[in-house]
Amino acid sequence: MAYPGYGGEFGNFSIQIPGAGPDVILGGFSGYPAYSDPYSSADDPMYAYFSAVAGQDGEVDAEELQRCLTQSGISGTYSPFSLETCRIMIAMLDRDYTGKMGFNEFKELWAALNAWKQNFMTVDQDRSGTIEHHELREAIALMGYRLSPQTLTTIVQRYSKNGRIFFDDYVACCVKLRALTDFFRKRDHLRQGFVNFVYDDFLQGTMAI
């Protein structure tokens, strides 16, 4: 990461992902389009979980999302999602910057969570409910990310506890990878793996996650 011409609050800087040109997958289930509901939401069985906690505006905040996901049972035998993980889930899909999530966004999140959960179960070969460092690296690779060994080491250190990664932390990692990759891609118009950021734009995009 280079910071050419950095001059304080409104300085510019550049971020480059080596080898991340147009033919390199940075994905990890980041390609989901915004969910479009072709029929009445009330006819959707998942809507019951959502509507039970949604406010009059038809949206949920982080605490409501936490209750919604707990009631839905999507975490299975794993511990319920933490409030912080729910906050970054909302931030990942909060395209109108309300700090809340509507039902269509919830459906999109649900699809991503199911994919991440299946991936977690695939690499959790000993069925311990946690994964080790090498299994997290394998999970990230399965999602299509091509990261440097240094970046993988940083991620492992950030999300492991006593050498193990729990499902909640794994999901938080997946959310940040997707959100930050989407943030980068929107600005990498030529798909070269290199972007010039205005400092304030960078802060807005990263501090929100």
Side-chain angles (χ1 to χ4, degrees):
M1 182 184 297
Y3 297 85
Y6 179 80
E9 181 180 3
F10 298 104
N12 296 325
F13 62 91
S14 301
I15 294 179
Q16 183 170 10
I17 300 180
D23 297 326
V24 176
I25 298 175
L26 294 174
F29 308 108
S30 61
Y32 288 126
Y35 185 85
S36 178
D37 200 344
Y39 53 89
S40 172
S41 296
D43 295 331
D44 193 310
M46 202 177 302
Y47 187 71
Y49 300 121
F50 182 84
S51 61
V53 297
Q56 293 183 348
D57 58 357
E59 295 187 321
V60 296
D61 59 21
E63 292 183 355
E64 292 168 335
L65 177 62
Q66 185 184 44
R67 291 200 300 272
C68 183
L69 293 176
T70 300
Q71 291 174 10
S72 73
I74 192 172
S75 59
T77 59
Y78 303 122
S79 298
F81 296 111
S82 69
L83 187 59
E84 178 59 26
T85 298
C86 290
R87 287 193 183 102
I88 64 174
M89 286 180 187
I90 289 178
M92 176 181 71
L93 296 171
D94 188 14
R95 299 181 179 92
D96 53 3
Y97 301 103
T98 63
K100 296 184 177 183
M101 177 178 288
F103 181 61
N104 287 344
E105 295 165 328
F106 176 74
K107 290 278 287 188
E108 189 175 350
L109 173 64
W110 184 273
L113 283 175
N114 273 297
W116 292 331
K117 181 178 178 180
Q118 183 60 47
N119 197 25
F120 186 89
M121 294 173 65
T122 297
V123 298
D124 180 22
Q125 297 180 354
D126 59 2
R127 296 297 182 265
S128 64
T130 62
I131 58 177
E132 299 179 6
H133 296 181
H134 68 281
E135 292 172 322
L136 179 61
R137 293 188 178 96
E138 180 184 349
I140 290 173
L142 285 173
M143 288 187 287
Y145 292 98
R146 303 293 180 261
L147 306 180
S148 70
Q150 294 84 356
T151 299
L152 286 170
T153 297
T154 298
I155 291 173
V156 165
Q157 291 174 342
R158 168 65 178 82
Y159 291 99
S160 62
K161 298 175 181 176
N162 298 319
R164 311 289 298 184
I165 296 96
F166 291 81
F167 183 62
D168 179 72
D169 291 318
Y170 163 79
V171 169
C173 174
C174 291
V175 170
K176 286 197 175 184
L177 277 173
R178 169 175 164 166
L180 291 174
T181 298
D182 286 348
F183 174 73
F184 185 93
R185 277 177 164 170
K186 288 176 182 177
R187 290 151 180 80
D188 184 17
H189 303 295
L190 299 179
R191 296 294 185 264
Q192 295 178 329
F194 184 88
V195 175
N196 288 317
F197 284 104
V198 175
Y199 180 59
D200 192 60
D201 181 37
F202 171 79
L203 287 182
Q204 290 182 41
T206 55
M207 294 295 286
I209 305 303

